[in-house]
Amino acid sequence: MTNFHNFADFQLDVLKEVGNIGAGNAATALSKLLNRPVDMQVPLVNMLPFEEIIEVLGGSEQIVLTIFLRVTGDAPGNMFFILTKQSAKRLLKLLAGIEVQNDEFYSEMELSALNEIGNILAGSYLSSLADFTKLSMSPSVPSLAIDMLGAVISYGLIQYGEMGDRALFIDTKFFEGNDAVEGHFFLVPDPDSFDKIFSALGVPLE
């Protein structure tokens, strides 16, 4: 297995480039879908222990809206796009012009819009990573849940068994003028998949 303790800056630079290209592709796709410009940035890309990501996102009891996809192919794993309820509400207004009246209950249209945004974003990041690595990586049909973060993660574990203990964590910001909404995307490859990804990227493994 890869030793992440000596993870070098240039290795993170490779991952940040993957994130930036994925964000660019997602912005283009969302612009076409919404028929107006969408600006996105990736201020942070990091490799973090799984439990640290949970803490960064507010702890296991934090209520979040999550779009979940299973990655199949050469480097299988799990993908999550996570928004707080407040961020989900602001994202719908920013991108789709939808005013959420009750963030305890989302309409079918609101959930569909969030699912599509998450699907485009996750698919764009995954496509970017697949292009870089030349590995076959395909997303499943996304599922959306509003629940405690710990429950969402448990769903991935129950559905697909053991996940790796580290994740590629990508902060994602959507902009329109001075308004910004932050979401969190992370990819949790299966235990052996990181080695395949970094080997394909030409990153030395220790």
Side-chain angles (χ1 to χ4, degrees):
M1 295 290 290
T2 305
N3 181 351
F4 292 100
H5 294 292
N6 298 316
F7 212 66
D9 288 343
F10 81 90
Q11 295 166 337
L12 286 175
D13 287 343
V14 170
L15 293 176
K16 182 145 191 183
E17 184 63 16
V18 170
N20 284 327
I21 291 173
N25 292 340
T28 299
L30 287 169
S31 295
K32 289 180 179 176
L33 177 69
L34 301 170
N35 199 29
R36 60 188 179 81
V38 173
D39 187 23
M40 288 175 57
Q41 291 182 9
V42 177
L44 174 68
V45 175
N46 209 345
M47 192 69 59
L48 295 176
F50 202 58
E51 63 274 11
E52 191 172 323
I53 289 179
I54 292 175
E55 290 309 308
V56 167
L57 297 180
S60 61
E61 295 186 359
Q62 169 84 351
I63 300 295
V64 294
L65 187 144
T66 303
I67 288 95
F68 172 85
L69 303 95
R70 176 67 180 168
V71 179
T72 59
D74 295 332
N78 298 304
M79 299 175 71
F80 301 83
F81 178 56
I82 291 182
L83 296 160
T84 65
K85 290 195 294 183
Q86 188 64 24
S87 290
K89 183 176 178 179
R90 293 179 61 213
L91 187 63
L92 281 171
K93 183 177 179 181
L94 182 71
L95 293 185
I98 298 173
E99 289 275 5
V100 177
Q101 301 302 318
N102 180 3
D103 61 10
E104 299 297 326
F105 176 80
Y106 289 85
S107 70
E108 192 77 23
M109 180 181 69
E110 291 162 354
L111 290 174
S112 178
L114 287 167
N115 209 34
E116 186 60 22
I117 291 167
N119 188 31
I120 288 172
L121 181 63
S124 296
Y125 282 143
L126 189 61
S127 176
S128 173
L129 186 58
D131 287 345
F132 259 74
T133 58
K134 307 304 180 189
L135 295 171
S136 171
M137 302 172 75
S138 301
S140 69
V141 175
S143 58
L144 186 149
I146 302 171
D147 207 334
M148 290 189 297
L149 180 59
V152 169
I153 301 306
S154 295
Y155 168 80
L157 286 167
I158 291 168
Q159 289 290 104
Y160 299 105
E162 182 186 3
M163 291 192 279
D165 62 354
R166 299 233 169 192
L168 172 60
F169 180 76
I170 302 175
D171 260 353
T172 302
K173 284 193 175 179
F174 302 84
F175 290 90
E176 185 174 64
N178 294 323
D179 292 329
V181 179
E182 186 174 25
H184 307 282
F185 164 83
F186 59 100
L187 169 65
V188 190
D190 289 357
D192 294 332
S193 292
F194 261 136
D195 284 356
K196 295 176 185 177
I197 291 170
F198 288 114
S199 178
L201 287 170
V203 172
L205 304 178
E206 299 182 14

